[in-house]
Amino acid sequence: MTTDPLLLVSDHIEGCVHVVTVPDGVEVGRLTGRHISEHAGFLALPGGRVACVDDHRGELLVLDPYGRDLVAATVPVAVPGEHLAADPSGRWVAVTTGLGKNAEPWSDLLTVVDLATGDAARVRTRRGEPGVTVLGADDPLVVLRHREPGALAVHRFADLLAAPTGCPKVEPQASLPLPDDGHGDAQDPVHDRVFAATGVGVHRARREGDGLVEEPVIPWGGPARGWYLRLDTGRRALWSTLRGGPADPLRWPEWTNHSWTYELDSDLTSLTDLGPGLVFRLALAKEHAAFARIHPDGDELILLDHDGISRRTALPPMEGAPARGSTPWEGVQRRAVAASPGADWVAVTRGGHGEVHVVDARSASEAARLKLDTPLHHGGHLLLLSQGDGADGDPVGR
């Protein structure tokens, strides 16, 4: 087996997962008939394993890209997969359900899994699109982030796993109020803290026994808000992209975007202007944060180093890209971005073209352009792995 960095490329529309080496693009593994939940994403686990949700078969997949067999385990779970998280040890996994192809929330099912034994249970909580974190490795807590009404709802993992058959309704044993517009979750495993993004800022709470203690909100520091949170395990920081501008999605080319960084140990916040258009998920490389920006005037990959200096690489246009006068979400091509905290490579897709650009973050230059035999409609989804990179220190699916 290879020891090179590996890129997992999910074409969730075609139902294929490619595993290729970086930067040369040699395919070392492939799964077919697997439609991975793009929203739940990939979750790095200890030992170089990766968890994801197959929305078609209704399974939690545990992949071992560096092992002899690519699929290490499968466990049935409720779908459509919305959010995916594990405890810091990687043993206890929780999967929430979302809308799927439906316009209104309809599923209230939560699945919890013990990967050490293969035991699993399904329970009913609240309809919606709940975020999830799993706090603590010993007697872990499942923390659900609900909307309308907003709340952080706390459940003991052991109680959920011991639930009887029949998907019983469960009530939280503790909860904290949140605004109704929560979207974005992270946790700090070092201090058993959970974070939730809302319009007013990042709400945080620390574990105390079987409950949570509310802590001061971290303000965004600007007129915009973040819809996505992730933990930088190397710098011990939270990252997000703040989106501002007109609320009308038809005016998305006018949206403003800023990278937002909050240092957990110093309480310092920094903002960097990324430019107008559509920017969403970000990726964290060894010494850079990577953002893909889509705009009718031209797309680009933005690389931001630890000193706040940005370098930009132009990306070729996509046929079927979001256009002026239409929304950037429905029936259009997009881009996914991935990086490993143990490598300097950054990968970004060209949706609909079956292409992945591999960029060296140190020089901001394209090192390779990988051509796959599936189109990567809607941009697909990516995970970049390097052995021992510490990515499992962020136990929330991305």
Side-chain angles (χ1 to χ4, degrees):
M1 294 295 293
T2 183
T3 58
D4 294 335
L6 293 177
L7 183 67
L8 277 64
V9 186
S10 168
D11 190 325
H12 55 284
I13 305 298
E14 291 291 310
C16 183
V17 179
H18 309 264
V19 184
V20 299
T21 59
V22 174
D24 51 348
V26 175
E27 186 170 276
V28 295
R30 174 185 289 229
L31 290 176
T32 56
R34 295 293 193 173
H35 298 259
I36 304 304
S37 168
E38 188 269 343
H39 200 281
F42 289 113
L43 171 62
L45 299 173
R49 298 174 304 151
V50 176
C52 54
V53 176
D54 183 339
D55 259 350
H56 190 69
R57 298 193 186 189
E59 289 182 331
L60 176 72
L61 292 176
V62 179
L63 307 180
D64 188 3
Y66 285 104
R68 183 181 301 273
D69 297 316
L70 179 55
V71 179
T74 62
V75 181
V77 295
V79 291
E82 182 74 9
H83 290 285
L84 166 67
D87 78 292
S89 77
R91 173 177 176 175
W92 315 98
V93 178
V95 181
T96 65
T97 51
L99 273 66
K101 296 296 184 183
N102 302 278
E104 298 292 336
W106 63 278
S107 175
D108 57 2
L109 287 174
L110 163 72
T111 309
V112 291
V113 178
D114 180 352
L115 289 180
T117 64
D119 292 339
R122 299 183 195 185
V123 296
R124 294 176 53 218
T125 58
R126 270 176 49 187
R127 287 198 302 263
E129 300 174 276
V132 64
T133 49
V134 184
L135 291 180
D138 298 322
D139 195 15
L141 300 180
V142 175
V143 181
L144 299 175
R145 189 251 315 137
H146 290 293
R147 295 193 292 186
E148 297 176 348
L152 290 175
V154 182
H155 304 261
R156 287 186 64 241
F157 198 106
D159 293 343
L160 299 179
L161 197 61
T165 59
C167 304
K169 181 78 172 180
V170 296
E171 297 295 336
Q173 63 183 44
S175 66
L176 289 177
L178 279 181
D180 289 348
D181 62 350
H183 196 295
D185 310 278
Q187 75 149 293
D188 174 13
V190 174
H191 296 118
D192 272 356
R193 280 187 172 91
V194 62
F195 303 90
T198 75
V200 299
V202 177
H203 294 251
R204 52 183 166 176
R206 72 178 186 276
R207 177 176 182 174
E208 191 169 287
D210 288 340
L212 295 175
V213 176
E214 190 173 13
E215 296 185 330
V217 175
I218 306 166
W220 293 119
R225 67 156 293 180
W227 298 89
Y228 176 75
L229 280 180
R230 75 175 305 165
L231 176 70
D232 185 336
T233 58
R235 293 180 62 185
R236 284 195 42 74
L238 295 176
W239 284 83
S240 188
T241 304
L242 307 191
R243 180 187 303 151
D248 183 358
L250 296 178
R251 297 175 60 187
W252 69 270
E254 302 172 46
W255 286 347
T256 63
N257 299 278
H258 291 80
S259 77
W260 178 88
T261 313
Y262 175 79
E263 307 283 349
L264 291 171
D265 298 327
S266 66
D267 291 328
L268 294 177
T269 300
S270 57
L271 295 171
T272 302
D273 186 10
L274 301 175
L278 176 64
V279 182
F280 185 46
R281 288 171 172 157
L282 60 100
L284 297 170
K286 195 173 186 178
E287 296 180 349
H288 296 80
F291 306 80
R293 185 174 72 90
I294 297 175
H295 194 274
D297 294 337
D299 298 354
E300 61 183 4
L301 176 70
I302 304 169
L303 299 169
L304 187 65
D305 69 17
H306 290 176
D307 294 324
I309 300 173
S310 64
R311 304 179 72 177
R312 297 168 185 256
T313 301
L315 298 171
M318 300 177 291
E319 294 183 14
R324 286 186 172 90
S326 62
T327 74
W329 309 119
E330 303 301 327
V332 294
Q333 302 297 351
R334 294 189 293 273
R335 300 186 186 274
V337 63
S340 161
D344 291 304
W345 303 114
V346 173
V348 58
T349 63
R350 188 182 182 201
H353 296 259
E355 292 182 354
V356 180
H357 307 273
V358 179
V359 174
D360 186 337
R362 295 166 297 184
S363 63
S365 60
E366 186 174 309
R369 188 175 301 187
L370 313 182
K371 180 65 176 177
L372 306 177
D373 58 6
T374 62
L376 299 181
H377 284 310
H378 299 182
H381 198 61
L382 301 177
L383 177 72
L384 204 155
L385 290 173
S386 56
Q387 290 187 316
D389 63 5
D392 56 283
D394 177 4
V396 178
R398 306 298 181 187

